[in-house]
Amino acid sequence: MLKKIALTGLLFISSLYAGSDRFHDFAKVSYSEPIYDYVYDRESQRECKEVRYKVRDDRYYSDYDDNLGVDTLIGTAAGAVIGSQIGKGNGRVAAQIVGGLLGAKVAHEIRNNYRPNDRYDDNYRYETKTECYDKPITSKRKTISGYKNYFVYNGVEHYKISDRPMRRVKITHTINF
């Protein structure tokens, strides 16, 4: 039984190596050359700047006066007197009413439109605020991703890529028959 196991093991091992022969050789590296890649990094830089805004001033009170004043009453009376000079009969009453209304309107507009201290756009003011935002910055840098190791074997120049410079390169020969 032991003989059978030994014979089976010997046949199995010899079948693994049957039909091929493998040996190794070494070649000296003449020079190594770095392989470069470019890496792009994205960063953000905080930038702030002063921005000027036009803002409605809530503390502003308009000079426009919508109240009835003495000038409006005087305008009404003057318009009615002038209107009474026009027309006859019922037309005179209508002219007095229209004259009174027009006189009141003219007096009211004069009060609100012809003031020397009237301000049109003064109800706005300007505020300066600081606005900040992140500005993306892309930077490019050169990195070494590997090395080409050049060597001469049987009179022909070859290279092998590796992650570091090498002194010698292992060459494997396989002979099949």
Side-chain angles (χ1 to χ4, degrees):
M1 172 88 166
L2 188 58
K3 233 181 187 184
K4 268 187 171 182
I5 292 175
L7 186 59
T8 306
L10 184 61
L11 282 174
F12 178 73
I13 290 173
S14 65
S15 69
L16 289 176
Y17 291 103
S20 72
D21 191 17
R22 182 180 290 188
F23 67 94
H24 302 285
D25 198 4
F26 292 94
K28 184 178 177 187
V29 173
S30 2
Y31 65 97
S32 294
E33 178 179 280
I35 301 170
Y36 293 103
D37 279 338
Y38 290 97
V39 177
Y40 296 92
D41 295 326
R42 293 203 78 168
E43 299 173 0
S44 62
Q45 181 179 8
R46 190 102 169 136
E47 270 192 18
C48 297
K49 62 181 177 178
E50 300 287 322
V51 180
R52 195 170 175 207
Y53 289 103
K54 189 175 183 180
V55 179
R56 186 166 186 86
D57 192 358
D58 294 333
R59 296 172 292 153
Y60 175 79
Y61 295 103
S62 174
D63 286 339
Y64 187 79
D65 188 7
D66 203 16
N67 296 324
L68 290 176
V70 174
D71 54 348
T72 307
L73 293 176
I74 292 172
T76 304
V81 168
I82 293 172
S84 68
Q85 302 298 319
I86 301 171
K88 295 179 181 166
N90 288 338
R92 182 176 283 184
V93 174
Q96 284 177 337
I97 293 172
V98 171
L101 291 174
L102 285 175
K105 178 69 175 164
V106 168
H108 187 69
E109 290 299 318
I110 288 173
R111 178 177 4 138
N112 286 315
N113 289 334
Y114 297 108
R115 291 187 173 183
N117 61 351
D118 192 20
R119 296 173 295 181
Y120 293 104
D121 288 329
D122 287 345
N123 58 342
Y124 290 99
R125 61 186 166 85
Y126 292 92
E127 285 184 2
T128 303
K129 294 182 182 178
T130 303
E131 286 187 353
C132 296
Y133 57 93
D134 292 330
K135 180 179 177 183
I137 297 174
T138 303
S139 61
K140 176 179 164 182
R141 62 184 164 95
K142 194 175 182 181
T143 60
I144 296 176
S145 62
Y147 291 89
K148 277 187 177 179
N149 299 290
Y150 291 92
F151 61 94
V152 177
Y153 188 74
N154 288 339
V156 179
E157 185 177 60
H158 303 278
Y159 69 87
K160 180 178 181 175
I161 296 177
S162 66
D163 58 345
R164 58 181 173 76
M166 300 174 76
R167 289 186 167 176
R168 61 186 188 149
V169 176
K170 183 178 178 181
I171 300 169
T172 303
H173 293 278
T174 303
I175 300 172
N176 292 323
F177 49 91

